[in-house]
């Protein structure tokens, strides 16, 4: 009888914590909000009633309805990432960071500049997020990303791209957040129509690409799931047990964290449903 009562008590505590997690106001930092994916992530967060702070080099206009604009809790920090510490006092108690940083070699201007954006700014963003109390990070990488791939010369961009995106995602993993999800899409449809090769691929092979709006939905939905899980774990009574740690918990960068990967457009699209 005592065991039954204890089990019912645990169930009630879990149910109540689930309800509280669902109603809780979530706060997010979005880096790379001026890009195609970042813009969609901001829109999705606002539509789902998150409080959003963006960090980008210029102020952006987000296409939202008039009602949504009035209700939106959106703060934009304009920074080149060199002075982020100036904003730490304003940014604490955040739940999640969405790393949507991304560029091309052409936009960056050189191989070194490309790496500096993808990896260097990611490191700065992670340092800032740790100070802001972030528990979960979702990062956009790429299918096939591998930090250990051999790059004979930086002139061969596909090899450099694969290694750099691998280094980018590893930088986030090494930061040791309570929860990290790496999204590794294939070809993305940026929904902007400003890249010829992207337009041709989408037109010739329908379904080959993943819309950045779908990627954004997957990232936000995953963040809500992971944060609810973290909240519920914190609210559950501590029970001594000799069982080993869950297979979902992976030791990364010297600290225990929940790490997930969504690889390929199909898996990401499924996660968005």
């Amino acid at each position: 009888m005592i065991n039954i009562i204890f089990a019912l008590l645990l169930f009630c505590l879990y149910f109540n914590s689930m309800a509280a997690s669902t109603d809780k106001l979530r706060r997010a930092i979005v880096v790379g909000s001026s890009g195609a994916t970042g813009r969609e992530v901001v829109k999705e967060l606002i539509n789902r009633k998150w409080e959003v702070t963006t960090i980008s080099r210029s102020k952006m206009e987000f296409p939202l309805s008039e009602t949504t604009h009035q209700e939106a809790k959106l703060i934009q920090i304009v920074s080149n990432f060199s002075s982020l510490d100036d904003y730490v006092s304003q940014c604490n108690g955040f739940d999640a960071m969405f790393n949507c940083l991304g560029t091309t070699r052409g936009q960056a201007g050189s191989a070194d500049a490309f790496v500096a954006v993808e990896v260097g700014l990611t490191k700065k963003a992670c340092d800032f997020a740790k100070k802001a109390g972030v528990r979960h990070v979702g990062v956009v990488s790429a299918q096939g990303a591998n930090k250990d791939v051999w790059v004979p010369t930086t002139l061969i961009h596909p090899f450099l791209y694969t290694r750099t995106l691998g280094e980018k995602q590893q930088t986030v993993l090494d930061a040791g957040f309570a929860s990290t999800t790496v999204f590794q899409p294939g070809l993305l449809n940026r929904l902007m129509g400003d890249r010829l090769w992207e337009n041709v691929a989408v037109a010739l092979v329908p379904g080959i690409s993943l819309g950045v709006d779908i990627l954004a939905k997957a990232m936000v939905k995953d963040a809500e799931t992971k944060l609810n899980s973290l909240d519920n774990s914190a609210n559950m009574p501590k029970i001594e047990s000799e069982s080993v740690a869950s297979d979902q918990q992976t030791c990364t960068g010297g600290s225990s964290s929940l790490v997930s990967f969504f690889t390929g457009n199909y898996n990401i699209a499924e996660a968005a449903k």
Side-chain angles (χ1 to χ4, degrees):
M1 178 62 71
I2 294 177
N3 289 338
I4 295 176
I5 294 174
F6 185 66
L8 289 173
L9 175 62
L10 288 178
F11 176 79
C12 290
L13 288 171
Y14 179 76
F15 181 82
N16 289 336
S17 64
M18 282 285 287
S21 297
T22 302
D23 297 334
K24 181 179 179 181
L25 174 66
R26 298 294 189 189
R27 305 180 68 206
I29 298 169
V30 181
V31 291
S33 57
S34 60
T37 301
R39 292 171 69 90
E40 292 297 328
V41 168
V42 171
K43 288 164 55 179
E44 182 68 16
L45 288 168
I46 290 175
N47 288 334
R48 296 178 75 92
K49 311 302 183 185
W50 282 60
E51 181 179 308
V52 182
T53 295
T54 65
I55 302 175
S56 61
R57 297 184 180 185
S58 59
K59 190 172 182 179
M60 301 296 299
E61 290 294 332
F62 296 96
L64 304 170
S65 68
E66 183 177 347
T67 301
T68 304
H69 257 304
Q70 293 173 350
E71 297 176 350
K73 296 182 178 180
L74 174 63
I75 298 172
Q76 298 193 55
I77 295 177
V78 178
S79 172
N80 61 3
F81 287 79
S82 63
S83 58
L84 284 182
D85 284 346
D86 295 344
Y87 299 95
V88 170
S89 61
Q90 304 174 29
C91 301
N92 51 57
F94 278 81
D95 296 290
M97 179 178 75
F98 297 86
N99 183 340
C100 305
L101 288 167
T103 187
T104 64
R105 182 172 179 156
Q107 290 173 329
S110 68
D112 289 342
F114 171 72
V115 175
V117 171
E118 296 285 2
V119 182
L121 295 190
T122 289
K123 176 63 167 62
K124 291 182 178 180
C126 286
D127 291 343
F128 180 77
K130 294 289 282 188
K131 295 174 183 176
V134 164
R135 296 178 294 155
H136 170 80
V137 174
V139 56
V140 180
S141 181
Q143 191 167 3
N146 182 353
K147 65 181 178 62
D148 297 318
V149 73
W150 180 56
V151 180
T153 172
T154 58
L155 295 176
I156 306 177
H157 187 68
F159 289 99
L160 176 67
Y161 179 83
T162 297
R163 185 181 69 185
T164 301
L165 271 291
E167 292 172 344
K168 174 185 180 181
Q169 66 187 37
Q170 190 62 45
T171 296
V172 179
L173 293 170
D174 287 343
F177 292 96
S179 171
T180 301
T181 302
V182 179
F183 292 85
Q184 299 178 317
L187 178 64
L188 286 174
N189 181 354
R190 299 166 60 252
L191 307 177
M192 299 178 72
D194 58 347
R195 292 181 182 174
L196 178 61
W197 65 268
E198 182 181 288
N199 297 335
V200 171
V202 171
L204 291 179
V205 189
I208 192 175
S209 63
L210 177 74
V212 289
D213 55 338
I214 304 301
L215 173 57
K217 289 180 184 295
M219 293 180 74
V220 175
K221 183 177 179 181
D222 171 74
E224 291 176 341
T225 299
K226 298 296 169 51
L227 288 168
N228 286 341
S229 178
L230 291 173
D231 288 343
N232 295 332
S233 297
N235 292 331
M236 288 294 285
K238 299 294 187 296
I239 302 174
E240 293 185 4
S241 173
E242 295 180 355
S243 60
V244 297
S246 166
D247 289 340
Q248 289 183 309
Q249 296 198 347
T250 306
C251 185
T252 306
S255 60
S256 180
S257 56
L258 178 61
V259 176
S260 302
F261 284 77
F262 288 98
T263 300
N265 289 351
Y266 174 81
N267 289 326
I268 294 174
E270 287 295 303
K273 294 180 179 178

